Amino acid sequence: MSTVNPVSPASATPSEAAGARPVARQVLCHFQGRFVPLAEAKVGVMTHAFLYGTAVFEGIRAYWNPEQGQLFGLKLREHYERMRRSCRVLLMDLPGTPDELVALTAELLRRNGFREDAYIRPTAYKSTETIGVRLHKLEHEFVLFCLPFGDYVDTTHGIRAGSVSWRRSPDDAIPARGKIVGAYVNSAFAKTEAQLNGYDEAIVLTADGHVSEGSAENVFVVRDGLLITPPVTDDILEGITRAGLIELAKRELGLTVVERRIDRSELYVADEVFFSGTGAQVAPVIEIDHRPVGDGQIGPLSRRIRDLYFDVVRGRVPAYADWLTPIY
Ligand code: PMP
């Protein structure tokens, strides 16, 4: 596998370092050890990851703060640490340490000169071009790209969710804690069933019928002032937003957070429900399976935690500066 070139400050031109947009609006990515235009980053049709889904990825956000003229990478180190864990599950390793990959990500964002919110997608994939399903005795590669990005689901009006008939892949089939590309077919089944049934997002249950998560979000429930979320052993992705919100809820809102199994019917009697995720951010849910959540409006705790989260990720709360990597 190609390794990450150490990123030296000299590799950015002065205009790139100052955050100027490249003149030609061509997005650059980092592919097989080099910065190349996204349109040139191609893999062959026999690539193992393409044939069998044998790859792991991360979804990361960077937030633009117009007052400070700064772009902040959110929890970059945590994402690369999780990616390293996902790689272990799939018998791979990353081309550098989490810190080196954070530096590479910052460099790529600078080279692209983004002055707007961005989405960052690193993927480590089994790159050998061969037939034969397995995890061992295969080469692997790394690709990193980023794009300008807005909301993934609505965060302002409240969304409608539906529980779906597809169950979350259990840990002994495809572990949800590894962010495995092939496992996202399970998410795709769930999201499509929910949307074709008229909902915005899916609630996916574990094989034994407990609430696991959304198609690409963790889920939180408020009952009698307690904030409750499924445990990491209920086939969820161990969400980085989930961990951040647990910290904010305890430290800033003084809430008690309980990680325990959640019955489906608890969603119907909850005071509030919201999704969390890098893409979804904090997305309040106002209806589930045709039942209003609480009084059918965004609840007060969901509103507070969502607003606080947006302030933190945009660099407006100094106490949480350590969540952020300034890019410029
Ligand atoms: N669950 C799944 C299945 C996801 O794809 C995501 C998005 N990465 C999440 C939960 C939320 O995780 P995070 O907060 O780390 O983005």
Side-chain angles (χ1 to χ4, degrees), residues 17 126 134 136 162 276 287 299:
K126 304 276 184 186
R134 62 181 186 272
H136 63 290
S276 75
E287 189 188 311

Side-chain angles (χ1 to χ4, degrees), residues 217-232:
E217 304 85 7
N218 294 115
V219 65
F220 284 87
V221 170
V222 178
R223 290 194 71 187
D224 300 325
L226 286 185
L227 189 58
I228 310 166
T229 194
V232 295

